[in-house]
Amino acid sequence: MLRRPLLASERVQVVLQPSSSGRIPLSRPTIEGVDRDSVLQVLEGTTLALGPKTRELEERFESRFGMPAALVSSGTAALYLSLRALGVEGGEVITPSYGFVATAHAIALAGATPRFADVHPKTGCLTLDSVIRAFHPAVRAIVPVHIFGTPAPVDEIVAWASERQIPVIEDACEALGSERCGRSVGTIGSAGTFAFYPNKQMTLGEGGLVVSPHGEVIEAVRRMRNQGRTSTGLEFAGEGFNFRITELQAALGLAQIERVDRWIERRDHLAARYIADFSAHPGIETLPPVPAGDRRSWFAFPIFLENRSTRDRVAASLDGRGIDSAPYFPGIDRFPPYDSASRVPSDLPATRGLSDRGLAIPFFPGLAEPDRRFVASVILGAVGSVEPRMRPVAPPSAPSEPSSR
């Protein structure tokens, strides 16, 4: 790509040192005194699993989403139990290859085969067109992913799928707080799933959530998460597992949910600052704005460089300056056993482009502005768009949390 010379007003000065003496992590949970107090309160009692805290947190989510909800052990468990509760036991499930591998693992565990469809080349989300092109008579469900918190056009996908009696399970594990056409993501399909790993908008340490407008789906999820138990006694029906959460996790969640909307706003602010830093510089792309009526609740902040070589060079520069980053996301179909799964079109061009160019950079509510500016300036320096300046040093940041569900 040919680049025009940058105007003086477009140049960003490099900050040669961060505000912290330790590494700047990719992600870090916000844990404060109120979180510790909430967890310690549980330890002073005798109920440590499936107790009043779990039900209280479920009720908070039911109030937030306006439909029944069930807490489970992880986002992966939430996806698996949703598929099972909706009767998916085989066939194929349309889902993107661009994303975290947990989605494919859940589909495979349910006895189905992922049928990978391509994504929009700018948003990374499934589109109705990509679903239609990937459709096959063996398809039993569709799992769109609201990747990075970007709302996928699930309303369009659900309308098309409902005519064919195909359930749509929304993978909203990265998208708590996102909206599509004014509706919370996760509430538009037959079921929606969320995750609470430490790098998410809020955390339970580990944990997941299923929401559904169909009460029988949530009843099935609650039964299966607890060994198929149908009552408080030793009565069981059908398959079951131990996909419960503890009261300690629920207590942490009850403390976190009080502040999650504040943290989502903080993520909005950080994203806007990064976008402002990179917007005038050729060779660095960020996610596009969402349509009017939609809302993106930022999970991570990826940038997209010119090619894999540039991406790797920028990552090496960040690492050399004590800054964590990660290639978000390699295509799932590149890894066994999914490298032999169905995918249409076979080369998934948009997936390949995003996977080769994408790099997630430090992004979490507690990211200090001097550290954020340092990250941006190292990136700009790596692509040759900056002039340097020194900055003072302050106390270290905490370690990073890797991506997971």
Side-chain angles (χ1 to χ4, degrees):
M1 173 188 288
L2 294 176
R3 300 179 180 172
R4 63 173 174 78
L6 291 172
L7 302 175
S9 61
E10 294 175 334
R11 296 191 183 117
V12 173
Q13 292 180 317
V14 156
V15 180
L16 291 183
Q17 293 181 332
S19 68
S20 59
S21 58
R23 290 189 70 84
I24 300 176
L26 186 62
S27 178
R28 187 179 66 204
T30 303
I31 302 295
E32 299 171 326
V34 64
D35 303 294
R36 299 181 184 92
D37 291 344
S38 186
V39 172
L40 288 172
Q41 185 180 39
V42 172
L43 292 174
E44 293 172 356
T46 59
T47 303
L48 298 182
L50 282 183
K53 297 292 186 183
T54 299
R55 185 62 197 134
E56 184 181 352
L57 184 55
E58 285 179 337
E59 289 173 349
R60 291 294 302 271
F61 282 118
E62 288 174 344
S63 176
R64 185 181 184 101
F65 293 118
M67 59 182 59
L71 286 161
V72 296
S73 57
S74 68
T76 310
L79 284 162
Y80 169 69
L81 293 174
S82 296
L83 288 161
R84 299 294 291 123
L86 287 161
V88 177
E89 300 181 12
E92 295 187 336
V93 175
I94 294 174
T95 198
S97 172
Y98 185 62
F100 190 58
V101 73
T103 309
H105 286 339
I107 292 168
L109 187 62
T113 300
R115 185 172 179 83
F116 295 120
D118 210 1
V119 293
H120 190 283
K122 296 295 185 181
T123 68
C125 294
L126 282 186
T127 65
L128 177 57
D129 180 63
S130 64
V131 168
I132 292 171
R133 287 187 289 117
F135 183 71
H136 183 274
V139 169
R140 298 291 178 266
I142 303 169
V143 181
V145 179
H146 301 290
I147 196 162
F148 305 123
T150 301
V154 285
D155 52 327
E156 300 172 7
I157 295 170
V158 166
W160 181 87
S162 62
E163 295 177 354
R164 292 153 182 83
Q165 297 183 316
I166 299 171
V168 175
I169 298 98
E170 297 178 64
D171 182 340
C173 290
E174 299 177 2
L176 180 67
S178 294
E179 296 179 357
R180 171 66 178 175
C181 299
R183 298 174 62 185
S184 294
V185 300
T187 68
I188 302 168
S190 302
T193 62
F194 298 87
F196 305 112
Y197 190 72
N199 61 358
K200 299 301 194 296
Q201 287 86 346
M202 61 173 278
T203 186
L204 278 63
E206 284 279 9
L209 182 77
V210 180
V211 299
S212 175
H214 309 295
E216 66 274 14
V217 169
I218 298 303
E219 289 176 9
V221 169
R222 288 179 178 160
R223 184 175 66 249
M224 286 188 288
R225 77 179 175 185
N226 192 24
Q227 304 292 5
R229 197 182 297 263
T230 58
S231 69
T232 55
L234 295 178
E235 298 291 334
F236 306 90
E239 63 182 348
F241 315 90
N242 180 354
F243 287 145
R244 302 183 295 260
I245 69 164
T246 68
E247 286 288 274
L248 302 171
Q249 291 168 281
L252 177 57
L254 284 167
Q256 294 259 309
I257 200 171
E258 295 290 342
R259 292 120 70 211
V260 66
D261 291 313
R262 184 195 321 162
W263 295 332
I264 290 171
E265 290 180 3
R266 171 63 178 164
R267 288 170 180 260
D268 285 343
H269 172 77
L270 291 171
R273 297 301 298 270
Y274 270 138
I275 290 168
D277 285 342
F278 299 139
S279 61
H281 296 271
I284 303 176
E285 295 180 26
T286 58
L287 292 172
V290 297
D294 288 8
R295 181 189 184 189
R296 177 190 286 123
S297 172
W298 291 89
F299 154 63
F301 193 89
I303 59 173
F304 300 92
L305 289 309
E306 288 183 288
N307 49 47
R308 178 189 286 265
S309 175
T310 304
R311 191 268 309 275
D312 293 347
R313 186 178 75 247
V314 170
S317 294
L318 290 167
D319 183 60
R321 304 308 299 274
I323 301 169
D324 291 344
S325 65
Y328 272 26
F329 284 103
I332 300 169
D333 68 299
R334 289 181 171 178
F335 307 114
Y338 307 114
D339 51 354
S340 61
S342 299
R343 48 191 183 273
V344 180
S346 60
D347 57 348
L348 302 173
T351 296
R352 296 287 175 259
L354 292 170
S355 295
D356 287 346
R357 299 187 300 115
L359 186 71
I361 62 177
F363 188 76
F364 52 94
L367 181 62
E369 177 60 14
D371 283 356
R372 190 208 61 76
R373 290 182 60 204
F374 179 61
V375 171
S377 65
V378 171
I379 292 168
L380 291 164
V383 296
S385 309
V386 291
E387 296 174 347
R389 188 174 72 180
M390 296 289 291
R391 186 162 278 275
V393 176
S397 297
S400 177
E401 289 287 349
S403 175
S404 184
R405 290 187 192 166

